[in-house]
Amino acid sequence: MSDFPSTSLSVGQQVTFNNSVYEWTGVYWKALGTVAASIVGATGNTGTTGNTGETGATGTTGNTGATGATGTTGNTGETGATGFVGLTNGLTIDVLGVTLSIDHTATISVAGVSAEGGTFTGNISVAGISASGATFGGTLGMVDNDVTRANFKDFSETVHNNGSVSTTSFTFDFEKGNVQTLTHSGGVGTTYGFENIPVSGRAGSMTLIVNNGASGVNWQSYVKWAGGTAPSLSSGTDVLGFITTTAGATMFGFLGGTNFS
């Protein structure tokens, strides 16, 4: 094998001799085969793509996105109707605070004011105002507040008719009126008293017109009579008066007249 290299050999080094390939092992030349057999062939064609695998499970839901920008402000509503009160010359009204303030020094006159069924609560402080011809067509509720320096003319009081009373006890309700009437049933003894009496420190008075009170009329112990004895009533019409300043702790009774006919 004089055609084989003899110097500078390295393991794995190959040579060709007589159409055969040899490789140096470090000790000897190893035959690998013919040249044609040792040549690596060209890479074959790529095979066809396999079938697509099954769809994987759905992933977890992502975080909620940020809140969008605030929309534009809507159109302003229509202006409300103008109020019926006209204000001039220093008169101001703070509607939110329900405050009426007058900063003008002259007298302010109100003529022809009409209020029907109005209810006024709270305090109204007025100085230098005169009202000419004011008319109230409904009930004026003062809610137990004072009416001062009043000059009453052509006024009346409500009369409440209690009808026929035949029970063993009966109370006259101040809230129903300060003048009341009843017809007493002579066949039963009835003890009479009062309720919803004005608070202590205020006078509460009532006029009673009693029919057929000759027998069976009794009074609660807090009703006191002159001399300590209740008056005898008649089978006709009798008028009694009552007054208290202690919310009924003591109610003084008076005989106005008996057996009117």
Side-chain angles (χ1 to χ4, degrees), residues 140 151-160 176-180 207:
L140 179 61
N151 181 28
F152 293 105
K153 180 180 180 181
D154 189 19
F155 71 94
S156 63
E157 293 185 75
T158 298
V159 178
H160 177 69
K176 292 181 179 179
N178 295 77
V179 178
Q180 300 193 23
T207 299

Side-chain angles (χ1 to χ4, degrees), residues 1-216:
M1 293 185 180
S2 57
D3 291 336
F4 285 77
S6 59
T7 62
S8 301
L9 298 177
S10 59
V11 177
Q13 182 179 345
Q14 295 181 355
V15 296
T16 302
F17 180 74
N18 290 334
N19 202 35
S20 294
V21 178
Y22 297 85
E23 182 180 83
W24 178 250
T25 65
V27 178
Y28 63 94
W29 290 97
K30 178 182 178 181
L32 297 180
T34 61
V35 173
S38 64
I39 297 174
V40 178
T43 302
N45 295 330
T46 303
T48 58
T49 303
N51 295 329
T52 303
E54 296 180 357
T55 303
T58 303
T60 57
T61 303
N63 295 330
T64 302
T67 303
T70 302
T72 57
T73 303
N75 296 329
T76 303
E78 296 181 1
T79 302
T82 302
F84 66 89
V85 178
L87 305 176
T88 59
N89 204 7
L91 181 63
T92 61
I93 291 181
D94 176 11
V95 178
L96 294 179
V98 194
T99 300
L100 176 64
S101 62
I102 303 173
D103 58 10
H104 196 266
T105 58
T107 299
I108 298 176
S109 299
V110 181
V113 176
S114 176
E116 296 188 6
T119 300
F120 297 90
T121 59
N123 297 323
I124 299 177
S125 179
V126 180
I129 293 183
S130 62
S132 176
T135 301
F136 297 91
T139 300
L140 179 61
M142 298 304 297
V143 199
D144 292 330
N145 290 303
D146 295 342
V147 177
T148 60
R149 300 187 65 181
N151 181 28
F152 293 105
K153 180 180 180 181
D154 189 19
F155 71 94
S156 63
E157 293 185 75
T158 298
V159 178
H160 177 69
N161 184 2
N162 291 290
S164 179
V165 177
S166 59
T167 56
T168 57
S169 64
F170 186 85
T171 54
F172 299 103
D173 189 347
F174 268 81
E175 291 186 354
K176 292 181 179 179
N178 295 77
V179 178
Q180 300 193 23
T181 66
L182 79 150
T183 298
H184 174 73
S185 176
V188 61
T190 303
T191 300
Y192 291 96
F194 301 86
E195 64 181 353
N196 290 320
I197 304 169
V199 297
S200 181
R202 296 191 176 188
S205 62
M206 182 178 293
T207 299
L208 292 183
I209 301 174
V210 181
N211 294 298
N212 194 34
S215 64

